[in-house]
Amino acid sequence: MNKAGKESKMKTKKNNVVVYIMLILGAIVMIIPFVWMTIVAFTNQDITYNMTFKNVINAWSLDNFKNIFTSYNTGRYLFNSMFVAIVTTLGQILICSMSGFVFARIDFKHKDKIFLLYLATMMIPIQATIIPQYILMNKMNLINTFTALVLPGMFSAFGTFLMRQHFANIPKALEEAACLDGAGFIRVFFQVMLPLAKPGISVLAVTGFMAAWNDFLWPLLVSSDDTHTTLPLFLSQLQGRWYVNWSELMAATLISVIPILIVYLFAQRYFIEGIQNTGIK
């Protein structure tokens, strides 16, 4: 190897080292709040303001988690959030996949214009649409019901765009072969196109689940009773005006974070693949 090649190789190694150091520092900065939350969740309130290694080890216990489930209706709130997130995600996958398939594969008049108008709704802030949605739910007598919590989240312009991109990347020969075998649009969609769009579905599932799980404003408006309270609303109730039990609050927050981590870990491979392939056509 000549001198220029060696210098280029050394420069590349130095650049890689710098990049790795920056990534490690960024990861440390990002993980510090999570570590602090975990420590506070497993210690008592007094240790929060006098956090030393010795105090943390001596005060380590599960009392905060016991108090969260015995003093509050946390089990019910956890079930509500899980139910709303799962149903919303499944509905969003079905509806966005069907609409994305239509925009990607079926030709009809003014298709591109309608799709652009559909994408334009992404620029409208949620604050501008949430009041009309509330009025609509109120007129339908759906306030304080799971239907009101679930229904608006099933429709997503981003999800439709995402699935359209994935369906557009699938070779049309597969669809044509299925049509030659006598398959209609419904059979082609469910048996051919949908299984091939797993990366896009994974991205939509993770983003949809996270949005439904962490949603605070919409449940705050449409659920005023304890029966339909979700975990984000419960976390806000733990924050008092003059006093906050940080240990119990962090324990409840840790409980709310775990399901999102589990969903992401299981769908991580497809999620990364889906993000990489979204803009490729």
Side-chain angles (χ1 to χ4, degrees):
M1 183 180 294
N2 55 30
K3 185 177 179 181
K6 289 182 179 179
E7 290 179 354
S8 177
K9 190 174 181 180
M10 290 295 296
K11 186 176 181 180
T12 302
K13 288 184 178 180
K14 290 180 180 179
N15 291 337
N16 290 339
V17 170
V18 173
V19 171
Y20 289 144
I21 291 175
M22 293 179 64
L23 290 175
I24 291 172
L25 292 175
I28 292 174
V29 171
M30 294 293 291
I31 204 172
I32 284 176
F34 184 80
V35 173
W36 182 86
M37 175 183 68
T38 305
I39 293 174
V40 174
F42 284 94
T43 55
N44 58 52
Q45 176 74 355
D46 298 332
I47 303 302
T48 305
Y49 301 99
N50 188 21
M51 191 177 294
T52 63
F53 182 79
K54 182 178 180 180
N55 290 340
V56 169
I57 295 299
N58 293 334
W60 198 265
S61 70
L62 297 174
D63 291 342
N64 295 317
F65 295 91
K66 294 178 181 178
N67 294 336
I68 285 294
F69 282 97
T70 56
S71 302
Y72 307 96
N73 200 8
T74 307
R76 178 68 187 186
Y77 307 146
L78 185 61
F79 170 80
N80 291 345
S81 288
M82 189 66 68
F83 176 81
V84 170
I86 291 175
V87 174
T88 301
T89 303
L90 292 177
Q92 191 174 125
I93 290 173
L94 179 62
I95 294 173
C96 292
S97 296
M98 290 191 295
S99 57
F101 174 74
V102 170
F103 282 118
R105 293 303 197 190
I106 301 177
D107 293 325
F108 54 92
K109 192 175 182 180
H110 304 306
K111 180 180 74 171
D112 294 335
K113 294 179 181 178
I114 294 174
F115 184 66
L116 287 175
L117 289 174
Y118 202 70
L119 289 182
T121 61
M122 296 175 62
M123 295 185 290
I124 302 175
I126 188 175
Q127 292 81 2
T129 60
I130 199 166
I131 295 177
Q133 285 181 353
Y134 176 83
I135 294 174
L136 182 62
M137 293 297 158
N138 189 34
K139 288 184 178 295
M140 296 171 65
N141 295 321
L142 294 177
I143 301 300
N144 286 324
T145 64
F146 284 110
T147 304
L149 289 170
V150 168
L151 191 59
M154 289 185 175
F155 306 92
S156 170
F158 167 76
T160 300
F161 166 75
L162 181 72
M163 296 309 299
R164 176 188 177 273
Q165 294 299 101
H166 279 276
F167 286 132
N169 292 334
I170 298 174
K172 204 164 186 178
L174 297 175
E175 179 186 350
E176 294 173 349
C179 292
L180 289 174
D181 290 337
F185 281 120
I186 296 177
R187 188 175 177 185
V188 168
F189 171 72
F190 283 104
Q191 295 187 1
V192 179
M193 304 296 286
L194 206 58
L196 294 174
K198 286 182 180 179
I201 293 174
S202 299
V203 175
L204 184 59
V206 172
T207 55
F209 185 89
M210 290 178 61
W213 183 268
N214 293 322
D215 193 13
F216 173 78
L217 183 57
W218 181 247
L220 180 65
L221 291 177
V222 298
S223 58
S224 58
D225 60 349
D226 195 66
T227 306
H228 300 93
T229 298
T230 57
L231 273 178
L233 297 181
F234 171 57
L235 293 178
S236 68
Q237 295 172 6
L238 289 177
Q239 302 179 44
R241 183 176 182 181
W242 308 112
Y243 173 78
V244 179
N245 189 325
W246 290 106
S247 297
E248 290 187 356
L249 178 59
M250 291 301 105
T253 304
L254 186 61
I255 292 172
S256 69
V257 168
I258 290 175
I260 297 177
L261 293 178
I262 294 174
V263 170
Y264 179 76
L265 289 175
F266 275 102
Q268 181 180 11
R269 181 169 66 90
Y270 289 116
F271 181 83
I272 297 174
E273 183 180 347
I275 290 295
Q276 290 175 341
N277 295 335
T278 298
I280 301 175
K281 183 176 179 180

